[in-house]
Amino acid sequence: MIRKLTLILSIALFFGCNSNTETQTEKSSMKEEMKTTQTPAEYTLVIHGGAGTIKKENLTPEKEAGIKEAIEAALTKGESILKSGGTSIDAVEATIMILENSPHFNAGKGAVFTNEGKNEMDASFMDGNTQNSGAVAGVTNIKNPIRAARAVLEKSDHVMLAREGAENFAKEQGIETVDPAYFYTEHRWESLQKAKKKGLGSVISEDPIDYKFGTVGCAALDKHGNLAAGTSTGGMTNKKYARIGDSPIIGAGTYANNNTCAISSTGHGEYFIRYVVAYDISAMMEYGGKDFQTAANYVVKEKLKAAGGSGGIIGVDKYGNVAMPFNTAGMYRGYVKPGERVIKFYEE
Amino acid sequence: MIRKLTLILSIALFFGCNSNTETQTEKSSMKEEMKTTQTPAEYTLVIHGGAGTIKKENLTPEKEAGIKEAIEAALTKGESILKSGGTSIDAVEATIMILENSPHFNAGKGAVFTNEGKNEMDASFMDGNTQNSGAVAGVTNIKNPIRAARAVLEKSDHVMLAREGAENFAKEQGIETVDPAYFYTEHRWESLQKAKKKGLGSVISEDPIDYKFGTVGCAALDKHGNLAAGTSTGGMTNKKYARIGDSPIIGAGTYANNNTCAISSTGHGEYFIRYVVAYDISAMMEYGGKDFQTAANYVVKEKLKAAGGSGGIIGVDKYGNVAMPFNTAGMYRGYVKPGERVIKFYEE
């Protein structure tokens, strides 16, 4: 607590020292405030189920309905926790578990297959109040990888554990394991066979319906003013060499900070790592004085796009403002706050 | 190239739009410029060999001489490449290989042992010109993990590969492998036995002489104006669960960007991940208008220290300015630029 106060004080002093442009910057930051804070939301929860070439013509009505149903269920679950005063961490975990348990998303049940025909999953979790973080990479037998990431956050001195090591830790923590066969889904298996047949390298998926990079994520602001974010993925179809994407990387795939925002990313992970996408948005707010939506739009639609990185992010700032920018054809996404529920798939 | 220009232009426009405080901010940024740019150095190379409780009374004269000799050799090698017009990438790789091949540092030969009595090494590399990056985590048979990280950067679509996957990739790329027994050193083995005997968890090392978190790193600016940085480590003595620290994490352990700076971190990795330390310094320069040394000192000595995170960073900005802040008793460090060579171990 004292450390935290010292930190806040020192940040204030540090940036305070530089402001011989006081009157004018005050004015411009007041403008920012008016644009973004509105009345702070009592709680907010925002989710994604992957970004990519998601177009109405590529989805059967059944598939679209199935995805919508899972997203509705996830939002309902998350909201029920936040509404009754639960923590953002509990809400993020429970929401992501619903998406992991659905075969419609590339995370948990429904994860894509590696080149070797395995399901290797990554997940991460960050607590915006303490900056504590947890991540697992390349796990094969944990039913809900997001639960393992939370256990690393709460029960370990470490941030990131990999493969068998992460599995051993999760087992010791009593986290539910399953036979790897649990993760088998026919459509993902077929995607792998098609990718191999076409001689594609490690790809998102060659099937437009499947081409959504996978990855589910959630960010939440609770009634106590605490932010949290989490991300879970099966990675890339046909991936080799135990590739780790951005999903388990704090700062790239997931970031949360009570002073700024909470974010989960989805997209071409390598670009999200190189551009430190999730933290970049927070830094642009903290150091550049941008509001959340401006910073998020800029990083995803300008900076990342110019670099050739496809994808999007969802997130919420400390006032409950939501941002869901993406630079692909679509992104499965939605949010809920008191009296407001939005679900969208395609570009506006 | 066009993408890059678009990006630079859009950054300029984005931040340009906001400057109704032009005259005054111009003045204050001119002040910053004067403080930092000086005459841009033709080339600069800076290294570290780990930070921790490094105190003169804990080092035998022989040990101190051995470490100094390795650092001298590393600086000499790196400088010879830069002086003759070589790239920052070549200089960083060759410099780190010398430190990896020395038994005095916790990287390559001399890496610490895991709880299972293995040497599991991490490394990462970033090219400031292209933002391309490469990293390997948990490799056990690659003589110079930094070479594998460079191969991922240059020869793969991915940024991060783990364990056997990374080893298979490196083998395919013709990178030298060794019997894992190559990494055995008696003093590291004894450290593991002592740590186990004392019932310590995953620790840096209980021995003050060894207590330096390990990790070697290098950042360089070449005559072409390109920045690069790399980091290599054996991680923590007695580590379990295939823990991954900050060293292979782009943005935490390593970062390079021609517009700002190149950085390698060393310290308590979990904090460096949570605070996205290397990228944070760059973001503070880019968005906050701070000069390199001010940003580096603030992040390491104020922000990280207040959070309880021990360690330091070394780096160079695009003008060749060097920063080597740490918040521990000492850090093995040094830099070289035309007509200047500095090596230091302890606090000033």
Side-chain angles (χ1 to χ4, degrees), chain A residues 82-240:
Chain A
L82 294 176
K83 205 176 212 166
S84 61
T87 67
S88 52
I89 291 182
D90 283 342
V92 166
E93 180 186 49
T95 302
I96 289 180
M97 281 175 67
I98 287 180
L99 300 172
E100 285 179 337
N101 293 344
S102 160
H104 292 298
F105 307 100
N106 174 17
K109 178 82 182 171
V112 299
F113 286 92
T114 67
N115 179 265
E116 289 179 324
K118 293 182 181 177
N119 305 102
E120 294 183 355
M121 293 157 288
D122 305 329
S124 64
F125 215 125
M126 190 159 187
D127 173 357
N129 183 33
T130 59
Q131 305 289 104
N132 281 341
S133 310
V136 294
V139 296
T140 61
N141 67 356
I142 295 169
K143 189 183 177 196
N144 293 104
I146 195 67
R147 288 195 64 207
R150 178 177 177 169
V152 176
L153 186 162
E154 291 180 338
K155 307 280 177 58
S156 127
D157 293 334
H158 301 311
V159 167
M160 191 173 188
L161 305 179
R163 303 177 75 80
E164 305 88 329
E167 291 169 359
N168 292 340
F169 173 78
K171 203 174 165 189
E172 285 176 25
Q173 296 297 323
I175 290 184
E176 188 181 0
T177 55
V178 289
D179 187 293
Y182 163 80
F183 298 104
Y184 176 89
T185 54
E186 204 185 325
H187 69 292
R188 298 299 192 190
W189 184 254
E190 282 167 9
S191 294
L192 174 64
Q193 305 317 316
K194 279 191 233 164
K196 286 190 163 181
K197 211 167 153 188
K198 288 193 180 175
L200 295 172
S202 163
V203 294
I204 311 317
S205 165
E206 86 296 351
D207 174 351
I209 297 176
D210 261 351
Y211 186 67
K212 56 181 164 64
F213 301 95
T215 308
V216 303
C218 177
L221 169 70
D222 64 27
K223 288 185 175 181
H224 318 287
N226 290 323
L227 291 167
T231 307
S232 181
T233 192
M236 286 182 167
T237 295
N238 203 22
K239 76 178 171 189
K240 287 173 78 174

Side-chain angles (χ1 to χ4, degrees), chain B residues 66-331:
Chain B
I67 292 170
K68 189 159 182 287
E69 192 182 348
I71 287 181
E72 290 278 14
L75 289 176
T76 300
K77 179 72 183 173
E79 180 167 33
S80 74
I81 292 170
L82 295 176
K83 204 177 213 166
S84 61
T87 67
S88 52
I89 292 182
D90 283 341
V92 166
E93 181 186 49
T95 303
I96 289 181
M97 281 174 68
I98 287 179
L99 299 173
E100 285 179 337
N101 293 344
S102 160
H104 291 298
F105 307 99
N106 175 17
K109 178 81 181 172
V112 299
F113 286 92
T114 67
N115 179 265
E116 289 179 325
K118 292 182 181 175
N119 305 101
E120 293 183 355
M121 293 158 286
D122 306 329
S124 64
F125 215 125
M126 189 160 187
D127 173 358
N129 184 32
T130 60
Q131 305 288 104
N132 280 342
S133 310
V136 294
V139 296
T140 62
N141 67 355
I142 295 169
K143 189 183 176 196
N144 293 104
I146 195 68
R147 287 195 63 206
R150 178 177 178 170
V152 176
L153 185 162
E154 291 180 338
K155 307 280 176 58
S156 128
D157 293 334
H158 301 312
V159 168
M160 191 172 187
L161 305 179
R163 303 177 76 80
E164 305 87 331
E167 291 169 359
N168 292 340
F169 173 79
K171 203 175 164 189
E172 284 176 25
Q173 296 297 322
I175 291 185
E176 187 180 2
T177 55
V178 290
D179 187 293
Y182 163 80
F183 298 104
Y184 176 89
T185 54
E186 203 184 326
H187 69 291
R188 298 299 192 191
W189 184 254
E190 281 168 9
S191 294
L192 174 64
Q193 305 319 315
K194 278 191 232 163
K196 286 190 163 181
K197 210 166 153 188
K198 287 193 180 176
L200 296 172
S202 162
V203 293
I204 315 315
S205 166
E206 86 296 351
D207 174 352
I209 297 176
D210 260 352
Y211 186 66
K212 56 182 163 63
F213 301 95
T215 308
V216 304
C218 177
L221 169 70
D222 65 27
K223 288 186 174 181
H224 318 287
N226 290 323
L227 291 167
T231 307
S232 181
T233 191
M236 285 181 168
T237 296
N238 202 22
K239 76 177 171 190
K240 287 173 78 174
Y241 307 122
R243 172 255 187 191
I244 296 176
D246 65 316
S247 297
I249 309 284
I250 297 302
T254 298
Y255 188 73
N257 184 336
N258 274 7
N259 296 320
T260 52
C261 58
I263 287 173
S264 170
S265 307
T266 176
H268 195 153
E270 278 69 14
Y271 287 87
F272 282 71
I273 297 176
R274 289 158 52 191
Y275 289 88
V276 202
V277 166
Y279 182 66
D280 196 31
I281 294 168
S282 173
M284 196 171 259
M285 295 170 71
E286 186 174 350
Y287 304 135
K290 300 292 172 191
D291 69 83
F292 179 47
Q293 286 152 345
T294 305
N297 281 333
Y298 174 72
V299 169
V300 173
K301 294 183 176 180
E302 306 285 330
K303 195 169 175 180
L304 195 63
K305 194 178 177 190
S310 305
I313 67 103
I314 58 91
V316 53
D317 71 9
K318 61 177 174 176
Y319 305 111
N321 295 298
V322 168
M324 308 190 289
F326 54 96
N327 61 33
T328 49
M331 177 167 77

